[in-house]
Amino acid sequence: MGVDSALERTIEKILHTTEDQILSSLKDALKSSKDTIANSNSALEQEYDKIVAEGKKEAEKLEKQLVGNADLDSRNKQLLLVEESIERVFEKAIKKIQDTSRDGEYSKLISSIITEAIEAIGTKDVIIQTNSKDKAVVESLLSKFPGATLSPDAIDCLGGVKVQSKDRTMIFDNTVDARLERLKPLIRKDIASKFGR
């Protein structure tokens, strides 16, 4: 056996030992990696479940907000439509009042309005003011209200009267305009209730 042959065996032995060591190291590293992955899987799954659950919660919250905003927007539009309709009704009513003929029925209305105003201020010594259209009607009714006089000055209103005590300490605005303003909230409420407000 020559020196070369002994050297080859020695090198082969060293290579074989080194190969075994490297393979053993690789196996250990592979096992360690598998263990690490296995341990991480559970934590990752928990983290994944947590992210999904939070995502669902956020989506539900967002959905509720969107539905709530849509409801609010729809309600606001409905209220706006109701309000516009109410205003149109008032405009038509005002137009109708302006065009009302000053007949016997109207005279009865003015008479009850004057009575109501005199009772409200608590004296019969009053000055009655009205617009130019209703002057003749009020004048024709004065005999029913002793102590009442008609003001020569016309006021700007749709109809009705403004009655004040002669000492000018009390005044009751019973014009159609004032009555309409007093009734508006009730009429609005009544109309709105028909729309479920």
Side-chain angles (χ1 to χ4, degrees), residues 121-146:
I121 62 176
T123 178
K124 291 180 179 180
D125 292 328
V126 295
I127 300 167
I128 302 172
Q129 294 175 294
T130 189
N131 65 14
S132 55
K133 249 180 159 180
D134 289 353
K135 259 192 164 183
V137 176
V138 173
E139 229 162 9
S140 69
L141 295 169
L142 278 180
S143 59
K144 288 182 168 183
F145 303 100

Side-chain angles (χ1 to χ4, degrees), residues 24-89:
S24 175
S25 265
L26 285 173
K27 280 182 186 172
D28 288 346
L30 180 63
K31 186 179 179 310
S32 174
S33 295
K34 282 181 177 176
D35 289 346
T36 302
I37 289 170
N39 290 337
S40 297
N41 264 353
S42 174
L44 285 173
E45 281 173 7
Q46 285 178 357
E47 189 63 26
Y48 173 79
D49 290 345
K50 189 178 163 190
I51 289 169
V52 169
E54 284 175 0
K56 279 183 182 173
K57 262 191 212 171
E58 198 59 35
E60 286 169 4
K61 190 175 155 188
L62 195 60
E63 184 184 355
K64 282 181 186 172
Q65 279 179 348
L66 289 173
V67 170
N69 286 342
D71 282 348
L72 193 62
D73 191 42
S74 166
R75 191 157 180 76
N76 284 340
K77 284 179 181 168
Q78 183 187 5
L79 292 176
L80 195 61
L81 280 175
V82 169
E83 196 58 35
E84 285 171 2
S85 298
I86 291 170
E87 282 306 317
R88 278 200 299 272
V89 168

Side-chain angles (χ1 to χ4, degrees), residues 94-135:
I94 287 169
K95 177 79 176 109
K96 204 171 177 179
I97 291 166
Q98 284 172 332
D99 296 342
T100 298
S101 66
R102 274 42 185 174
D103 58 11
E105 283 302 310
Y106 190 78
S107 182
K108 282 182 192 171
L109 172 70
I110 295 296
S111 178
S112 68
I113 282 176
I114 293 171
T115 303
E116 187 180 83
I118 288 173
E119 286 173 4
I121 62 176
T123 178
K124 291 180 179 180
D125 292 328
V126 295
I127 300 167
I128 302 172
Q129 294 175 294
T130 189
N131 65 14
S132 55
K133 249 180 159 180
D134 289 353
K135 259 192 164 183

